[in-house]
Amino acid sequence: MSLKAGIVGLPNVGKSTLFNAITKKHILAANYPFATIDPNVGVVTVPDTRLEFLENLYLPKNTVPTTFEFTDIAGLVKGASKGEGLGNKFLAHIREVDAIVEVVRCFVDENIIHVLNDIDPIRDIDIINTELILSDLEIVLNRLNKILKKAQTTKDKEIVLECHLLEKCRDALSQNIPLRRIDDFTEEERLLLKSYNLITFKPIIYVTNVNEEDAVIEGNVYTKKVKEYVQKDNASVIVMCAKMESELSELEESDKLAFLKDMGLNSSGLDKLIFATYHLLGLETFFTVGKDECRAWTFKKGMIAKKAAGLIHSDIERGFIKAEIMKFNDLEQLKDEKKVRESGKLYLEGKDYVMQDGDIVYFRFNV
């Protein structure tokens, strides 16, 4: 399952430094706009102590964590929707992701240029949001112009529905309202909206990039303003120091944990971001276990067992018979698969069973 979160923001806010930390890749993080032109894609491992427990229990030959992708997209500037900077190209890259991670500069450093010469995170957020709204509005208006006359004369219910939906989108965007804030879309409208790939309909999370001292106390005056401002998006805000996270990512796990403890932190900002983005994308995890391999699998919340089987192999989905399921918490408590079976906590489920986060699954199939 390939799902992507795109990292966006103004130039020089710390996007590429954050991306370096996330993926442990060393891409160009230069002190000038447009240091990143083509989007860099990196695969992120989702930390999961449950997989560590299963690995220690089964001692497999191989252990495979679950992953998803982060894309670092070059800095947007005011006027991007009209092609300023490399706006059109960048906006096209944002359309290809499933969720947005917007990095907001909340630190003062005279050695790092701000494209607008001062620190004002709310203004920066407004600039990004306005450009994304204008870009979406252009797409909506173009499509609406093509179907409006037909919708007024036809009895085709699908065309009428689409026209009504586009008018609703136009009205919201014209009032500078991102589509993610509209809560009265029907399920049918939401499915149709996804086909347009509109940016402001994508879920969003904000990363406030602060200096090291403010990361330890989890914020400053700027991050407080951001948290208050984005409540209308019902969005999460992660406070972190991208520079510190990039340095942390170079350490061995034991050294990293010791450093965090010395700093008085329970977990890294990166771990918080990865978990938050994973859930923002509506992702959950099931496991397959055995002496050969223990593996975590990513699935969309609400997926049924037969479809989940297809994530492993299309033959398993095609020949699906039953799913044998243990709950991770039961196995963790009893510490033995045989005891789970004997206690009646091994469940046989059919193809329409809705998968749950933490399920440990053996799929029965016949092709």
Side-chain angles (χ1 to χ4, degrees):
M1 173 172 290
S2 180
L3 290 170
K4 295 180 184 178
I7 304 173
V8 304
L10 292 178
N12 296 348
V13 298
K15 300 185 315 304
S16 295
T17 304
L18 175 60
F19 183 79
N20 285 343
I22 286 174
T23 61
K24 298 186 181 179
K25 286 188 177 181
H26 298 285
I27 59 170
L28 179 62
N31 183 25
Y32 52 87
F34 315 125
T36 311
I37 295 177
D38 292 319
N40 297 274
V41 179
V43 177
V44 155
T45 296
V46 180
D48 198 326
T49 55
R50 297 174 299 183
L51 187 61
E52 294 174 21
F53 173 86
L54 295 172
E55 182 179 25
N56 292 330
L57 183 65
Y58 286 89
L59 302 175
K61 296 174 185 175
N62 193 30
T63 301
V64 183
T66 189
T67 61
F68 65 94
E69 292 182 357
F70 273 97
T71 302
D72 179 34
I73 298 165
L76 287 168
V77 295
K78 191 172 183 179
S81 58
K82 296 181 174 63
E84 291 296 323
L86 293 173
N88 291 330
K89 189 174 183 181
F90 298 165
L91 289 164
H93 291 153
I94 300 173
R95 293 196 185 284
E96 294 171 4
V97 303
D98 302 286
I100 297 170
V101 176
E102 184 169 331
V103 182
V104 187
R105 180 167 169 172
C106 291
F107 67 90
V108 177
D109 188 334
E110 293 178 357
N111 296 315
I112 300 178
I113 302 162
H114 190 293
V115 289
L116 297 172
N117 299 317
D118 65 338
I119 308 302
D120 185 345
I122 304 307
R123 174 205 57 204
D124 295 353
I125 290 172
D126 279 341
I127 288 172
I128 295 291
N129 285 349
T130 297
E131 295 307 320
L132 301 185
I133 284 169
L134 289 172
S135 177
D136 277 356
L137 183 59
E138 182 180 4
I139 288 174
V140 168
L141 291 176
N142 286 342
R143 178 61 182 163
L144 192 55
N145 288 337
K146 287 180 180 177
I147 69 167
L148 187 57
K149 285 185 179 179
K150 186 176 181 181
Q152 292 170 341
T153 58
T154 187
K155 292 182 179 180
D156 187 327
K157 290 182 180 179
E158 290 185 3
I159 292 291
V160 173
L161 170 69
E162 184 180 7
C163 186
H164 173 73
L165 173 60
L166 290 170
E167 287 175 334
K168 187 190 292 189
C169 293
R170 176 201 60 198
D171 293 346
L173 294 168
S174 297
Q175 296 175 56
N176 215 35
I177 300 171
L179 298 179
R180 73 179 68 88
R181 291 187 198 160
I182 310 301
D183 57 11
D184 64 346
F185 288 129
T186 66
E187 279 304 308
E188 194 174 10
E189 287 175 331
R190 288 181 179 278
L191 284 173
L192 187 53
L193 268 177
K194 286 183 180 179
S195 68
Y196 301 138
N197 230 4
L198 297 172
I199 301 172
T200 66
F201 188 58
K202 299 178 188 295
I204 192 168
I205 192 168
Y206 292 88
V207 170
T208 52
N209 189 14
V210 300
N211 60 34
E212 190 170 306
E213 292 78 14
D214 290 333
V216 173
I217 61 174
E218 298 190 348
N220 56 29
V221 63
Y222 297 124
T223 63
K224 185 178 179 182
K225 288 180 179 178
V226 172
K227 287 179 179 179
E228 291 172 352
Y229 187 75
V230 305
Q231 283 181 356
K232 52 193 171 187
D233 269 333
N234 196 27
S236 298
V237 176
I238 305 294
V239 178
M240 72 164 67
C241 173
K243 183 174 180 290
M244 182 175 77
E245 296 294 337
S246 187
E247 292 167 355
L248 273 173
S249 69
E250 298 298 324
L251 300 178
E252 294 293 332
E253 189 64 21
S254 57
D255 294 334
K256 172 185 164 184
L257 292 174
F259 179 86
L260 289 171
K261 186 176 180 181
D262 289 343
M263 297 287 284
L265 298 171
N266 296 321
S267 61
S268 71
L270 265 187
D271 285 349
K272 291 176 184 175
L273 175 61
I274 291 170
F275 284 129
T277 309
Y278 194 69
H279 292 297
L280 185 71
L281 287 165
L283 303 179
E284 293 184 328
T285 304
F286 72 84
F287 303 95
T288 52
V289 296
K291 292 296 182 183
D292 288 331
E293 181 182 83
C294 285
R295 181 163 183 160
W297 298 86
T298 297
F299 69 97
K300 285 285 282 185
K301 188 174 183 178
M303 182 176 282
I304 61 173
K306 185 175 180 180
K307 290 293 182 184
L311 298 176
I312 300 174
H313 199 285
S314 57
D315 283 350
I316 303 178
E317 179 179 1
R318 185 161 54 90
F320 181 95
I321 300 172
K322 289 285 183 183
E324 291 184 7
I325 293 178
M326 290 184 290
K327 302 298 181 182
F328 174 82
N329 291 343
D330 292 334
L331 182 59
E332 183 182 37
Q333 182 181 1
L334 296 170
K335 296 181 174 57
D336 186 282
E337 187 175 316
K338 185 179 178 182
K339 289 180 180 177
V340 173
R341 292 174 181 270
E342 289 172 348
S343 65
K345 293 184 176 180
L346 179 73
Y347 307 99
L348 276 181
E349 302 288 356
K351 63 180 181 179
D352 294 326
Y353 167 75
V354 178
M355 298 293 293
Q356 302 296 309
D357 186 57
D359 280 349
I360 302 168
V361 192
Y362 172 74
F363 290 109
R364 295 182 186 178
F365 70 103
N366 183 35
V367 177

